Amino acid sequence: MSSVRSILWVLMLCTIMGAPPSSAEGQVGLGDPDVWSAHPADGVKMTLGEDQGALRLDYAFAGGGWAIARRDVDLDLPDNYAFRFLMRGAGPANNLEFKLVDDSGENVWWHVARDVDWPDDWQRVTISRRRIRFAWGPAGGGDIRHAAAIEFAVTATGGGSGTVWIRDLEMVPLPPRDGPPPPLRARADSEAPGHPGAAAVDGDSLTWWAPAGDGPSATLILDPGRNREFSGLGLVWKDPSPPRDYVLEAADEGSNWRELARIDGAVGVRDEVFLPEKQGRLLRLTVSCPVGSDPPAVREVDLHPVEWAESRNDFFMRLAARARPGLYPRGFLGLPSEWTVVGADRDDREGLISFDGAVDAGPGSFSLEPFLSAGGRLLTWRGGSTRCALVDGDLPLPLVIREWDGWRLRIAAMAPGEANRSFLMVAYTLHNTGTTAEEASLDLAIRPFQVNPPSQSLNQRGGTARIGALEGRGKEILIDGRLGVRFFEAPDAFGAATFAGKDAVAYHLARGRLPAARRVSDPFGAASGIARFTRRLAPGDSLAVTALIPLHPDIALPREPAECRALARRTEDHWRRARDRVVLEGPAAMDDFLDTIKAQLGWVLVNRATVGFQPGARSYARSWIRDGAMT
């Protein structure tokens, strides 16, 4: 019976790929442009072709849109299955969608890989049934049991031009997902007396695995009992220091190990390693054992199920839920997160400022978030009070005022400069409203989070951002080798950390310190840092700090405060002239209503690009009827 099933599956794979049943590999015809048809959105350039046995998809986005490669099939789907293929690409990060379409052509199930960093070499992609979800159609939900078409789509987030190669597409049956997984087991190749490898998975935090320390490294083999999907690994260490280096690998069977993650310089007691959409029959943890120091010991290992963190946003929301409230942006706690746009008239790029005073410099950009350290306390958005306002009450120039007992922080944001040459100018004023002199630090955190929260995910996904390299160099903060932030005076201190070295705010600042490094490189892309400005302020005294953040690459930023003050005055005057071109009057009872109308007219101008109007500043870049009506 098993051999009959094998023959049936070969025939089915041949049907998918367009190969004759006699094909040994079942992969012939994938790159044939006559089999796959191109379906680009209006304004998108797209070509399909065969390239050395692979389907080659070339695309060019003028703005938003999609490029779809479609193949008709006649495919019954089993109770549990996975699609597998090899993929590589070149170009800016965009989304890659895999879709199944039913016989009606109206119901679609999909899997979306967002902001794909295209690999240079072939990478195996596995999409299990669990990850293929109903997208849209009159069916309203449920599972697809028969596919009439398969689609690959590149959809614009970063835009631009690029190429994607796909080959060796196949569907494989999987065992039924019945019951909970077996208990995790562990064995080690090196064990100190009384501290076996099994102690790392016994659920007892008072026991631990400790290597014997008789070699440069030690290995812990984790056995889930069956081939298992997972999304992350939690490690609880016996001691928080010294920094640890380790490698995580997985194997399906035998000794064919593949690297999942390489961690250098980890600190703290608990590490969480994000392993999205990974699977394996065995896992291997290899820890470095430096000469002259005790080898790192592991109290507990947690293998997180796929539901634990299906996306990078899910992962950071898990971390935020464990942290003290206020240390992560409120959007990562699932709380409402309000923001408004900061931009120049006719510019096609804007920044955002949140209700709590964090700013970012465009879609997918890092954010600059303010904290206050005073009197032995770390003051965050969680405590005190916050209110928002506009310059003159009706100009599209937002203000955030945060107050705690004895302190007030005013944050004013605007975008001076010409269209498509603008930058963000954020002015921070810390005022001692108390009755005694006190030393205080304004801590401006550079974080791998957008102001646009995780809940926004239509086209441009909100939530996390990527910071691969971070460096403090005098008055400037370099992010991924480019100017990210410039101050008019150098911070009194600066510290940066990799994700393995723990978040600069949630770990270091929460403990009353800054990270030690001034320059870091983070392969996980979640570096963070803090620029600290410290003063002793008498009652009534203030500390003023101005941050400049480019909205466009390679623009010249002001270097002198006087130049910046002049630009600020011109920016305010521009918006006053635009507001006063039309006079709106009414009784005093209408003042708030009229101010709202004037402010919204200002933001319509902020959201226009050259002579055209564009829709919302983040989640989507396509105009719908409602956008035209609102404009």
Side-chain angles (χ1 to χ4, degrees):
M1 179 64 71
S2 61
S3 61
V4 172
R5 288 197 186 102
S6 298
I7 294 172
L8 290 175
W9 281 113
V10 169
L11 292 172
M12 189 174 295
L13 290 176
C14 293
T15 301
I16 297 173
M17 304 309 301
S22 60
S23 169
E25 298 295 329
Q27 308 297 339
V28 177
L30 175 61
D32 187 349
D34 294 331
V35 175
W36 293 83
S37 57
H39 301 270
D42 291 343
V44 175
K45 296 180 179 179
M46 174 187 178
T47 59
L48 289 177
E50 188 274 338
D51 188 356
Q52 299 181 2
L55 175 68
R56 173 173 174 157
L57 188 160
D58 294 283
Y59 62 88
F61 296 119
W66 60 83
I68 297 174
R70 180 185 177 101
R71 169 76 199 270
D72 293 333
V73 296
D74 182 9
L75 180 61
D76 290 323
L77 298 169
D79 291 335
N80 197 18
Y81 58 88
F83 284 90
R84 298 192 305 205
F85 56 91
L86 295 177
M87 182 264 295
R88 65 183 180 94
N94 286 293
N95 294 345
L96 179 66
E97 300 174 359
F98 175 81
K99 302 178 187 178
L100 299 175
V101 186
D102 71 1
D103 293 293
S104 73
E106 297 180 352
N107 296 299
V108 177
W109 286 256
W110 68 352
H111 170 79
V112 183
R114 298 186 181 274
D115 299 318
V116 176
D117 186 10
W118 307 107
D120 295 329
D121 299 321
W122 290 108
Q123 182 182 87
R124 178 169 292 282
V125 178
T126 300
I127 304 174
S128 64
R129 172 189 170 179
R130 186 195 56 80
R131 296 190 177 101
I132 299 173
R133 298 176 176 176
F134 182 77
W136 61 78
D143 294 325
I144 182 171
R145 303 311 302 242
H146 182 270
I150 294 175
E151 293 182 354
F152 287 98
V154 179
T155 57
T157 53
S161 301
T163 303
V164 178
W165 292 266
I166 296 171
R167 67 178 177 87
D168 297 357
L169 174 65
E170 61 179 352
M171 184 185 69
V172 294
L174 297 177
R177 298 179 66 213
D178 295 330
L184 189 64
R185 296 177 295 173
R187 64 182 187 273
D189 67 349
S190 176
E191 300 174 337
H195 301 290
V201 295
D202 62 2
D204 185 351
S205 62
L206 299 180
T207 64
W208 60 86
W209 165 58
D214 52 1
S217 64
T219 296
L220 183 70
I221 301 294
L222 302 171
D223 183 356
R226 68 188 188 198
N227 195 292
R228 187 166 158 190
E229 295 178 286
F230 46 89
S231 64
L233 191 76
L235 294 168
V236 180
W237 303 89
K238 178 177 177 293
D239 301 302
S241 60
R244 300 173 297 272
D245 301 338
Y246 55 93
V247 178
L248 287 170
E249 299 168 287
D252 293 328
E253 295 292 345
S255 59
N256 186 22
W257 295 98
R258 59 186 183 278
E259 185 175 304
L260 301 179
R262 181 175 294 271
I263 310 298
D264 296 323
V267 299
V269 171
R270 186 179 185 97
D271 290 349
E272 293 290 358
V273 185
F274 184 41
L275 302 169
E277 301 186 6
K278 297 296 189 292
Q279 61 182 346
R281 176 63 184 83
L282 297 172
L283 287 89
R284 181 166 69 183
L285 168 68
T286 302
V287 299
S288 297
C289 301
V291 176
S293 63
D294 292 335
V298 179
R299 290 188 183 274
E300 288 298 321
V301 178
D302 295 324
L303 185 60
H304 300 310
V306 288
E307 297 84 2
W308 186 79
E310 296 187 6
S311 69
R312 196 175 177 93
N313 277 341
D314 292 342
F315 177 69
F316 277 96
M317 291 178 78
R318 289 283 186 180
L319 301 185
R322 289 179 177 170
R324 165 188 154 189
L327 298 180
Y328 282 86
R330 66 177 71 218
F332 284 89
L333 292 171
L335 299 175
S337 182
E338 297 140 348
W339 51 261
T340 194
V341 180
V342 185
D345 190 3
R346 299 180 184 273
D347 204 322
D348 63 1
R349 190 175 176 93
E350 297 87 28
L352 301 183
I353 182 169
S354 75
F355 178 81
D356 300 310
V359 296
D360 73 21
S365 169
F366 73 94
S367 59
L368 190 65
E369 184 177 358
F371 296 86
L372 177 62
S373 299
R377 298 180 298 162
L378 175 60
L379 303 178
T380 73
W381 60 260
R382 179 68 173 184
S385 63
T386 303
R387 59 188 175 91
C388 298
L390 302 176
V391 173
D392 289 1
D394 58 12
L395 298 182
L397 301 173
L399 307 170
V400 174
I401 298 94
R402 293 170 54 177
E403 294 188 88
W404 304 271
D405 183 25
W407 299 99
R408 182 174 65 247
L409 177 62
R410 180 182 186 271
I411 306 161
M414 64 171 58
E418 301 175 357
N420 299 324
R421 302 289 296 172
S422 64
F423 59 93
L424 292 184
M425 181 169 67
V426 190
Y428 304 88
T429 306
L430 178 63
H431 189 73
N432 184 348
T433 60
T435 58
T436 61
E438 192 169 352
E439 185 175 277
S441 294
L442 175 61
D443 296 319
L444 300 179
I446 296 92
R447 310 195 75 180
F449 308 129
Q450 305 173 58
V451 167
N452 197 27
S455 56
Q456 296 294 320
S457 60
L458 180 59
N459 286 314
Q460 176 62 51
R461 177 178 285 274
T464 60
R466 298 191 73 87
I467 302 179
L470 184 60
E471 178 182 0
R473 187 183 294 177
K475 300 178 181 180
E476 298 181 343
I477 310 298
L478 303 184
I479 298 174
D480 293 328
R482 305 178 73 94
L483 176 63
V485 183
R486 176 184 290 164
F487 303 105
F488 284 127
E489 61 179 75
D492 297 295
F494 176 80
T498 64
F499 178 77
K502 299 297 185 289
D503 183 79
V505 173
Y507 183 81
H508 295 277
L509 193 58
R511 288 163 172 76
R513 65 188 188 219
L514 267 58
R518 291 189 61 86
R519 177 181 181 180
V520 297
S521 180
D522 186 358
F524 185 57
S528 56
I530 298 170
R532 167 168 282 183
F533 299 85
T534 303
R535 297 289 187 277
R536 183 171 181 82
L537 298 177
D541 284 351
S542 297
L543 163 65
V545 175
T546 299
L548 307 181
I549 305 173
L551 286 172
H552 302 272
D554 304 322
I555 67 168
L557 296 179
R559 293 188 175 275
E560 299 298 331
E563 181 184 359
C564 218
R565 287 193 293 268
L567 282 169
R569 287 193 297 269
R570 287 202 293 271
T571 301
E572 290 185 5
D573 289 344
H574 165 83
W575 288 115
R576 290 188 179 104
R577 289 193 301 272
R579 174 197 63 189
D580 295 341
R581 289 179 64 186
V582 177
V583 177
L584 300 176
E585 294 180 336
M590 292 183 64
D591 284 350
D592 287 346
F593 173 76
L594 294 177
D595 285 346
T596 300
I597 293 295
K598 295 173 185 177
Q600 294 309 311
L601 291 174
W603 266 297
V604 167
L605 299 179
V606 168
N607 278 325
R608 70 172 168 173
T610 315
V611 296
F613 291 97
Q614 62 186 21
R618 285 295 184 273
S619 283
Y620 58 94
R622 306 186 187 110
S623 291
W624 301 74
I625 293 174
R626 65 182 181 192
D627 302 311
M630 291 170 63
T631 297

